[in-house]
Amino acid sequence: MKNNALVSVIVPVYKVEKYLNQCVTSIVHQTYKDLEIILVDDGSPDTCPQLCDKWSLKDERVKVVHKPNGGLSDARNAGLSEATGEYVLFIDSDDWISLNMVSDLVEIMKKENADMSICQFANVFSDGRIEANSLFKESNLILDRKGAFDLLIEDTMLTNHVWRKMYRRSLINSNVFPKGKNYEDIYAMPSLLKNCSKIVCTNKIEYFYRQNNAGIIQNKSISNYQDQIDALEYSKKEIIDIEPDLKEKVNGYQIVKLIGVLREIINSNNDSLLNLEKIIEKNILEIPISTYKSIPGKKNKILYLFLKRSNNIKLLYKSGKKIKKIYHPIKKIKQSNQDKKELLKKIIQDKKPKFYIIGTPEYGNLGDQALMFGEFEFIKKYFSQYTIITIPQRQLYMVEKIKNYITKEDIVGLQAGGNIGTLYPGIHLAQEEAISKLKDKNLIVFPQTFYYDNSDKGRKWLKKTYEVYKNCENLTVFVRDDKSLDLLHKYMPEIDVVLVPDMVLMLATENNMFNASLNRRRKGALILFRHDSEQTLTWKQKDEIFTNLEMNYSTISERDMHVYHDFESISAAKKSVKKQLQAVRQSELVITDRLHGMLFAYLTDTPCLVLKSKSPKILGVYNWIKDRKNICLIDEVDDMNPKIEMIKKQTANSLEKNNKIQEKFIEMAKIIKEKGLHGVKNN
């Protein structure tokens, strides 16, 4: 890249030795190289100062500022005083970012001549779960200052966090962060937005925010709550001063936020916080009653009625709890009844035999979505006279209502994937309960990987699965890997189990729904790594991998096989899967530790290096495609360079039909029909 704007990346560092290297690794390997990386050691008492110095020796772009401890605000201000870039980015040292984040934010800043650019973020929980924050309404959103403040007040799509935002350095005031205060982001955001004329937002999730239970915001002290109240009050006054037209809205949302703080205080049962309760009561009741009408949402309008009738805030809190218990289930029941009504209408009116798929994904795992589309292709090809009915994972409660409408002609298939066992307990238990309710139906399990921990819990769950399956009158279980086959043969001897390919391989045909108009130009290496509970790669291994790729390819970029939010429709999921396939097809190399990252490379004939993960599924499914010479399984990161050289020498070939795979799908269809499921003849 030539003549690129310099971006100053400011990272305050204090007592994060467990996470710091992961954070810095994600910064130094950005696809955008013109960086000034400022690590501000805020008098950290652990090994962080030494780690910072090691990074400065390793990468000349890294500057280290060692200073006495002064708090997060002081550290950020110190970083700003050193920043010489045209743009500034703040990153908390226990978080990490996508390798594309800086490049993407600079690109939209320049394209729109904006003063601030914002990406989306995902919350990372200690149990490995990752969930997206509320997304913007448009994939790319352009706001003026008032529009940005309007969203900032709501604090959902556009939150008060100073990270995940890129700023024009010239518009940031000195010492913008208040020293000695917690909730410094709430204090600072009005000032950071004040001088901006245009703000551009993208829905790309590129910041990963670690939910750290040891952090400042989890500290339930008097001073902490007081800082939060003060910050909210300061922000409110600043916004009203900057955008007077938003006064009513900011006051309305102020009530909601103060009630949230109040509920935390009451839940803490800490007598020392009683004075704060009175302060919050006073703050709430000082806001004009007419403003309450601007409180968003039906639930909060009900709260408004309680506020209007009583000055007793504890009564409001208790009433609010009751409303929450009553209101949300009613809303859910109404939606459920509508879903059931529409589904039953479709089942009753359509006289064709039905092929039900239960447990289909609405969530954002693109591999699981591709499995569903593979199932669609399978049914379309071998059971074309059947109507497909999907029961999403989060609507499995409908099984109880529809089971009496499922006839002897119908087939019920459990969604394919790797969800049976102890890796994803919520999904596993819900699916198992659904199968138990359908034990007298014609049942199949689409190709799955079974994985149970070697623990008392794992053995107990394995036994329970066997009991559920044994009680089914007509069940065939399809598995996609040898280890699952051996497991079921050993521990479920009475169950019919058949080894077949992963359902995504049903998309390996010229006429599949994703094949048309996929661009074949290739450039650079694409990284598809997982961040969840199944990941096995350390930050050090990732650092080595990124370094190797930078030496071998002109560009590297990163995408995720999970979008961390639910899809509104099957068509939206299809669009997202197609976009991912396009990105894979445009790459010279894919490196991944995800099963369906490997299979997306197979479908697009893209050279691919695959690292093993916690589950045996990668090795098991790899055995179906191992004849493809430009897809290589590697055990260790050290094996990577020789494999890259080998893959570069492979001649690219168009996607050929794998006869063994297609024959297995034919066999799978035949087994389903021969079990008395009244299917149609093979097409």
Side-chain angles (χ1 to χ4, degrees), residues 367-380:
D368 285 355
Q369 294 292 340
L371 285 168
M372 178 180 66
F373 294 123
E375 292 160 356
F376 291 170
E377 289 287 328
F378 176 80
I379 296 168
K380 183 174 73 174

Side-chain angles (χ1 to χ4, degrees), residues 146-336:
K146 184 177 180 180
F149 271 115
D150 192 59
L151 286 181
L152 185 69
I153 292 167
E154 296 176 12
D155 202 17
T156 52
M157 290 182 289
L158 204 166
T159 59
N160 275 289
H161 305 110
V162 300
W163 40 258
R164 70 144 168 158
K165 302 177 176 85
M166 182 173 284
Y167 310 88
R168 195 177 291 280
R169 176 66 182 90
S170 60
L171 300 181
I172 303 178
N173 297 327
S174 299
N175 298 317
V176 67
F177 297 101
K179 187 175 179 180
K181 294 284 190 181
N182 295 327
Y183 300 93
E184 53 285 307
D185 292 31
I186 297 176
Y187 277 101
M189 274 314 301
S191 296
L192 290 168
L193 263 177
K194 182 177 182 178
N195 298 320
C196 296
S197 299
K198 183 186 284 189
I199 298 93
V200 58
C201 313
T202 173
N203 257 343
K204 290 181 181 179
I205 296 170
E206 306 205 85
Y207 193 101
F208 294 87
Y209 173 50
R210 198 185 304 275
Q211 295 287 331
N212 184 359
N213 291 330
I216 289 172
I217 61 171
Q218 270 68 43
N219 176 13
K220 306 299 184 182
S221 68
I222 295 175
S223 62
N224 187 286
Y225 279 119
Q226 188 62 62
D227 279 352
Q228 187 176 3
I229 295 165
D230 291 346
L232 290 171
E233 185 65 18
Y234 176 86
S235 176
K236 182 190 79 169
K237 289 178 178 177
E238 285 289 296
I239 293 172
I240 292 172
D241 182 60
I242 297 166
E243 294 290 349
D245 290 349
L246 296 176
K247 179 177 179 179
E248 186 171 323
K249 181 168 185 175
V250 75
N251 274 328
Y253 275 87
Q254 185 80 342
I255 296 170
V256 177
K257 291 173 182 177
L258 288 173
I259 289 172
V261 177
L262 178 67
R263 286 177 175 174
E264 278 190 32
I265 290 173
I266 295 173
N267 278 334
S268 71
N269 293 315
N270 187 341
D271 291 339
S272 66
L273 298 174
L274 288 174
N275 284 337
L276 277 180
E277 288 183 35
K278 294 177 181 177
I279 291 171
I280 295 174
E281 289 180 20
K282 184 174 180 293
N283 286 347
I284 289 175
L285 295 173
E286 279 180 352
I287 297 173
I289 196 90
S290 60
T291 303
Y292 295 171
K293 295 178 181 178
S294 67
I295 297 175
K298 184 176 179 181
K299 182 185 72 171
N300 287 316
K301 287 178 182 176
I302 297 172
L303 290 177
Y304 152 68
L305 295 177
F306 283 92
L307 272 170
K308 192 174 180 181
R309 292 173 185 170
S310 174
N311 286 350
N312 189 324
I313 300 294
K314 282 197 175 182
L315 174 62
L316 162 67
Y317 168 67
K318 290 174 182 177
S319 301
K321 284 177 71 176
K322 291 176 184 177
I323 291 167
K324 190 173 182 181
K325 287 179 181 178
I326 296 169
Y327 172 71
H328 286 292
I330 289 173
K331 184 179 180 182
K332 184 176 179 181
I333 289 168
K334 285 182 179 178
Q335 184 62 47
S336 300

